[in-house]
Amino acid sequence: MAASQHPADPEADVLPGTDPAAVKRHRTLFRAIRRRRNPPLRRTDITVTDEAAVRRAVKAASLGNAMEWFDFGIYSYLAVTIGHVFFPSGNDTAQLISSFATFAVSFLVRPLGGMVFGPMGDKIGRKKVLALTMILMAVGTFAIGLIPSYAAIGFWAPVLLIFFRLVQGFSTGGEYGGASTFIAEYAPDKRRGYFGSFLEFGTLAGYVGAAGLVTILTTTLDSGAMEAWGWRIPFLVAGPLGLVGLYLRLRLDETPAFQKLEDQTYHSATEAASAVETSAKGDLAKIFRQYWPTLILCVALVGAYNVTDYMLLSYMPTYLTDELGYDDTHGLLILIATMVVLMLVINRIGVLSDRYGRKPLLMAGMVGFLVLSIPAFLLIKQGALVAVSAGMLMLGLSLVCLLGTMSATLPALFPTPVRYGSLSVGYNLSASLFGGTAPLVITALISVTGTDMMPAYYAMAAAVVGIIAVACMKETAQQPLSGSPPSVESKEEAAELVAAQATAPKF
């Protein structure tokens, strides 16, 4: 995968199925063939990153991610209120499940969004697609804030809510894959973990912003005012935020890796022509046909990560309120404090993943959820502020090992020509099946089994899958992205890399 990796016998992989005996007899010939197929690394092949451009790219991608999770966060934190506003009055649990079902329904179209926006991002560029997803997300969220209540228009209220949740979900299908690809392709190889961690810093910032705004509203408004109009404010705020994010994204240049992908140095005229003629259906068929083992690995990693992520950051306030009788405001304040701690350490996790590798950090997070979930929920169930905070922090520190590492890990799984599409498909299939359904499944399981320890068991099951996936993946820290030349921070580093290459890299 890396540009610096070579087999023990370099000539042995010149042609698939080559007779090893023939290679031994004609080493000079096969060495010449291999050198022609993989020309020596030149200084012009290496991307020297611009620190200012990298930071602009990180800022634009992270703000979009923050907005996405602000949107999803406010829906999660207002789940009880939204259930009262948009669904018939009656059983509170039925209203809550209806609300979470509407939360989950947006995830049903996320794979569709990934299948549309992902191949589009590989064909026309990352920047254009990310601008489009930003517009759709802002429109969908802003529109939810304008929908009349069930009491006003009856059946059409939940119908409109579901429609605009579908718009949100469709746009989100192209968001994470594109944003993580954008940062990964801009960042230098040795600092991809650090810069990638800012994407999930944006996730936490979006959640903190959503939780903070909802907390302010619930403390200053009574339940009547909250259900009448107060819940609309966070959704309406998304409109201006979307315009800011769109402005930042439109000011960016395309990623260096995508620009070089379009360069004739990396593509022959025939390949370029066939790429233009390829349909989206053909692109998807190629992804599923050629990269299905990596897609399965991606789905497993994202599934484990998303279950724990949504369980802690989306579902936990509802759990504290409905299962433990906590006041809405107190539950959100504890979650906000936990997320602020995670924001303080997440970039250090990214640095550690650059230094020690992605696998050790990911494994630490998965093992943390496997071992600490039951003790953490036993502490949370005690109800005392210190115990609840300690339990949340135990879960949070396990999660931050995944948050700070995953956005650099996932883009490196796939080669540059299909990275956006493959990652969008794999990520959103997994998020649809396991992420967005987590609050709904946990609520339903608690209702069926009668045990409020179900979130712990669910997180542990996800962690087992995650441990297996991490064990199966290759280490990608400090290595060039598959299908792209090395990316460094200075001309001196590029010169050193060329001088150190005795044999050619294989792009």
Side-chain angles (χ1 to χ4, degrees):
M1 177 174 287
S4 59
Q5 291 179 329
H6 303 282
D9 185 0
E11 286 75 37
D13 71 335
V14 173
L15 294 171
T18 301
D19 181 8
V23 174
K24 289 182 179 180
R25 288 195 303 270
H26 307 286
R27 284 191 178 277
T28 302
L29 174 62
F30 279 99
R31 188 177 293 114
I33 295 173
R34 187 179 191 280
R35 190 171 181 82
R36 182 169 182 175
R37 288 168 63 100
N38 300 285
L41 183 67
R42 299 166 299 177
R43 164 61 190 85
T44 53
D45 295 331
I46 301 173
T47 301
V48 179
T49 60
D50 177 1
E51 179 84 6
V54 174
R55 293 188 179 278
R56 285 197 302 271
V58 169
K59 184 189 301 182
S62 300
L63 179 63
N65 207 47
M67 178 185 162
E68 175 188 341
W69 297 114
F70 175 85
D71 296 341
F72 278 95
I74 54 180
Y75 191 97
S76 300
Y77 304 144
L78 290 170
V80 175
T81 302
I82 289 173
H84 293 162
V85 172
F86 287 102
F87 297 97
S89 59
N91 186 286
D92 288 342
T93 302
Q95 282 188 330
L96 182 61
I97 290 178
S98 298
S99 180
F100 276 138
T102 308
F103 176 83
V105 76
S106 69
F107 285 81
L108 297 178
V109 296
R110 281 184 67 162
L112 181 60
M115 291 177 187
V116 171
F117 290 124
M120 190 187 300
D122 285 326
K123 188 170 292 186
I124 68 173
R126 286 63 163 123
K127 169 186 170 179
K128 295 175 183 176
V129 176
L130 283 174
L132 180 58
T133 60
M134 175 68 77
I135 293 171
L136 287 176
M137 175 61 77
V139 169
T141 307
F142 187 79
I144 289 176
L146 301 176
I147 301 173
S149 67
Y150 184 87
I153 61 172
F155 167 77
W156 289 106
V159 169
L160 288 172
L161 176 63
I162 291 172
F163 173 77
F164 287 114
R165 288 292 294 165
L166 292 175
V167 171
Q168 285 183 318
F170 186 74
S171 68
T172 305
E175 176 63 35
Y176 183 89
S180 58
T181 294
F182 204 78
I183 293 178
E185 292 183 349
Y186 254 106
D189 296 331
K190 292 184 178 180
R191 300 183 70 195
R192 193 177 304 122
Y194 169 70
F195 285 114
S197 67
F198 280 95
L199 189 65
E200 298 297 356
F201 182 91
T203 297
L204 293 171
Y207 272 127
V208 167
L213 184 53
V214 171
T215 300
I216 292 171
L217 290 172
T218 53
T219 53
T220 56
L221 300 176
D222 58 34
S223 59
M226 193 67 185
E227 291 186 13
W229 56 270
W231 68 270
R232 299 180 185 276
I233 294 175
F235 289 95
L236 298 178
V237 166
L241 283 179
L243 293 177
V244 173
L246 179 63
Y247 170 74
L248 290 175
R249 288 187 172 182
L250 289 176
R251 292 181 61 229
L252 294 172
D253 293 324
E254 192 52 81
T255 69
F258 186 80
Q259 290 181 29
K260 289 200 172 186
L261 185 66
E262 293 184 308
D263 196 309
Q264 290 300 314
T265 304
Y266 294 90
H267 283 280
S268 68
T270 303
E271 290 171 331
S274 64
V276 171
E277 294 171 2
T278 302
S279 65
K281 183 178 180 181
D283 293 336
L284 289 173
K286 177 183 178 182
I287 289 171
F288 283 107
R289 184 175 61 252
Q290 297 185 12
Y291 300 100
W292 64 266
T294 313
L295 275 176
I296 292 174
L297 178 62
C298 179
V299 167
L301 284 170
V302 174
Y305 155 61
N306 266 286
V307 165
T308 53
D309 187 355
Y310 283 95
M311 183 270 290
L312 181 62
L313 302 185
S314 293
Y315 173 72
M316 193 55 71
T318 302
Y319 178 81
L320 293 174
T321 301
D322 282 16
E323 305 301 329
L324 303 184
Y326 247 70
D327 179 81
D328 288 345
T329 303
H330 289 166
L332 281 176
L333 286 174
I334 294 172
L335 180 60
I336 289 172
T338 303
M339 290 191 291
V340 168
V341 172
L342 302 190
M343 291 175 70
L344 294 175
V345 303
I346 190 168
N347 297 136
R348 302 311 305 167
I349 297 295
V351 171
L352 289 175
S353 78
D354 284 329
R355 182 176 301 174
Y356 299 110
R358 317 291 186 225
K359 293 184 69 170
L361 273 297
L362 291 174
M363 190 63 78
M366 298 297 182
V367 171
F369 275 109
L370 181 63
V371 174
L372 299 178
S373 288
I374 288 179
F377 272 91
L378 289 174
L379 281 172
I380 291 171
K381 283 178 62 177
Q382 291 185 19
L385 179 61
V386 174
V388 173
S389 300
M392 293 278 283
L393 193 58
M394 289 167 65
L395 296 172
L397 292 176
S398 299
L399 178 62
V400 79
C401 291
L402 308 181
L403 288 173
T405 312
M406 198 66 76
S407 51
T409 301
L410 296 176
L413 294 176
F414 302 100
T416 302
V418 296
R419 179 170 298 121
Y420 197 152
S422 301
L423 180 52
S424 294
V425 169
Y427 185 92
N428 289 293
L429 277 173
S430 188
S432 177
L433 292 171
F434 308 111
T437 58
L440 174 64
V441 171
I442 293 172
T443 302
L445 287 175
I446 291 176
S447 178
V448 170
T449 64
T451 173
D452 52 15
M453 288 295 290
M454 194 52 64
Y457 304 146
Y458 201 56
M460 291 171 68
V464 171
V465 174
I467 289 171
I468 296 171
V470 173
C472 293
M473 64 172 276
K474 295 180 180 179
E475 183 57 72
T476 58
Q478 299 196 22
Q479 298 176 9
L481 291 168
S482 176
S484 291
S487 178
V488 299
E489 293 186 86
S490 66
K491 294 180 179 179
E492 293 75 18
E493 189 177 350
E496 292 174 3
L497 187 58
V498 172
Q501 295 286 318
T503 55
K506 182 178 180 181
F507 294 143

